[in-house]
Amino acid sequence: MFLIPNISVSLGSIIETNEELERSLNWESGKIEAKTGITKRYISNELETAENLAIDAVKKISSNDLSDISLIISVTNTPSISFPSLAHFIHSEISTYEETHCLGINSGCSGFVDALIVANNFLKADDCKKALIITSDTYSKYIDPLDSSIKTLFSDGASAVIVEKDNSGFVLHEKITSTKKNTEEHLCMKHKNELNGAIKMNGPQVLTFAVGTVLPGIKKLISEDISYVMVPHQAGKLVLDTFKNKIPQNIKIYENYQEYGNLVSTSIPNLLFTNPSILKEEKNLIISGFGVGLSHSSVILKK
């Protein structure tokens, strides 16, 4: 059983409005919001990296709350330093145990849920009492400026989430994870001349995966006689509108992609951060991440 007592978020410092982006893409006014539902994005400047956005998020949590961290799990697709992992850099920034276990996960939009599953397993095994999950991505640095299909979607940001063992907290009641074979290139970034190339995404295939794999998986987890709150990855208007139309009526879906865009691994922590009543008041949560892989990880949390 665990609680999530602290969440902090650090977003890219450049607020990119639709008007600015529509001018640069030579799109008519209002097209971005009509197509994506997004009104603005948070973009990292030249000095902001996955590492320092993550460090900034961690420093928003009091040092007392970080002093007894014994597990750090970091999630990023876009580190500016290939290794060691982001978790190792965070460990050097906080005053906690030398013996703290540092793990790095190369995962995208399912990454926060993946890390939560791993943290829960450590807590259950009594290997630690308190874990810190770090998410951080700067997709904007790796998007072709002429690729309007994804340039309008993604934001940059990081989160720091404390997961603490507590008998009054949530139980990870059920989980489902899946990875569809031969879909790796539908959302990927290849190396080119020893440097990262541009991110490529096949939007129709990602939507097909969300509707054909993620939704049926979630439906396998739920009971019709229980009311749930769903905290999904904020993939954008098309995906979440489809979810709302097809999901059972006993599930309430939260969203905030309109104001933040797609924050990749940070989208779920940011959704929890901007809606603090979810963790305080709700008893049955569905947390669902899906994307790069193409992979899907969803959990049912019960209190």
Side-chain angles (χ1 to χ4, degrees), residues 10-83:
S10 179
L11 303 177
S13 61
I14 300 170
I15 299 177
E16 181 183 72
T17 66
N18 283 353
E19 291 75 18
E20 294 168 325
L21 190 52
E22 283 164 348
R23 283 195 297 270
S24 70
L25 295 173
N26 199 26
W27 281 17
E28 62 186 44
S29 178
K31 183 176 179 179
I32 291 176
E33 185 173 0
K35 184 178 179 180
T36 68
I38 296 167
T39 61
K40 61 184 176 183
R41 287 142 298 278
Y42 290 81
I43 306 300
S44 55
N45 65 32
E46 291 183 0
L47 299 178
E48 290 170 334
T49 64
E51 289 77 17
N52 58 36
L53 283 175
I55 290 169
D56 184 64
V58 170
K59 288 186 174 180
K60 293 178 180 180
I61 297 177
S62 81
S63 57
N64 287 338
D65 291 330
L66 297 168
S67 63
D68 52 352
I69 296 292
S70 55
L71 170 66
I72 302 173
I73 306 172
S74 62
V75 180
T76 183
N77 279 155
T78 53
S80 65
I81 300 170
S82 295
F83 60 87

Side-chain angles (χ1 to χ4, degrees), residues 109-278:
C109 305
S110 64
F112 175 73
V113 184
D114 297 331
L116 191 62
I117 292 169
V118 172
N120 178 70
N121 289 341
F122 271 82
L123 295 172
K124 284 176 64 178
D126 283 330
D127 286 340
C128 73
K129 304 297 183 185
K130 187 186 285 189
L132 177 65
I133 297 175
I134 303 295
T135 67
S136 189
D137 275 298
T138 56
Y139 266 38
S140 73
K141 296 183 184 301
Y142 309 99
I143 294 174
D144 184 333
L146 299 179
D147 190 346
S148 59
S149 64
I150 60 174
K151 187 172 176 59
T152 57
L153 295 176
F154 290 105
S155 284
D156 301 333
S159 74
V161 181
I162 288 180
V163 183
E164 184 173 12
K165 190 167 187 172
D166 192 302
N167 290 333
S168 66
F170 289 102
V171 174
L172 200 160
H173 181 67
E174 286 191 78
K175 68 179 175 69
I176 186 167
T177 61
S178 63
T179 300
K180 193 170 181 64
K181 292 180 181 293
N182 302 313
T183 62
E184 296 86 356
E185 294 199 7
H186 293 332
L187 182 50
C188 71
M189 180 173 68
K190 296 182 179 180
H191 289 285
K192 183 179 180 181
N193 298 327
E194 299 183 358
L195 297 174
N196 289 323
I199 293 170
K200 300 294 183 182
M201 184 176 78
N202 185 325
Q205 288 293 336
V206 174
L207 177 61
T208 298
F209 175 73
V211 176
T213 300
V214 178
L215 270 177
I218 291 170
K219 289 178 180 179
K220 289 179 182 178
L221 295 178
I222 63 174
S223 300
E224 293 183 0
D225 57 345
I226 297 176
S227 295
Y228 299 90
V229 163
M230 183 175 175
V231 183
H233 165 55
Q234 298 296 287
K237 176 181 174 62
L238 193 56
V239 171
L240 291 181
D241 280 357
T242 303
F243 274 25
K244 286 186 288 186
N245 289 332
K246 293 181 176 293
I247 208 77
Q249 293 300 307
N250 58 325
I251 298 176
K252 176 183 178 181
I253 299 180
Y254 274 80
E255 57 185 40
N256 67 358
Y257 68 89
Q258 297 90 341
E259 293 294 316
Y260 295 96
N262 183 333
L263 281 161
V264 196
S265 60
T266 298
S267 78
I268 292 174
N270 184 57
L271 187 56
L272 291 169
F273 176 75
T274 58
N275 294 276
S277 63
I278 294 175

Side-chain angles (χ1 to χ4, degrees), residues 276-295:
S277 63
I278 294 175
L279 292 173
K280 292 179 181 177
E281 300 174 8
E282 301 298 339
K283 306 298 183 184
N284 299 294
L285 303 184
I286 304 167
I287 302 183
S288 179
F290 47 91
V292 174
L294 295 174
S295 296

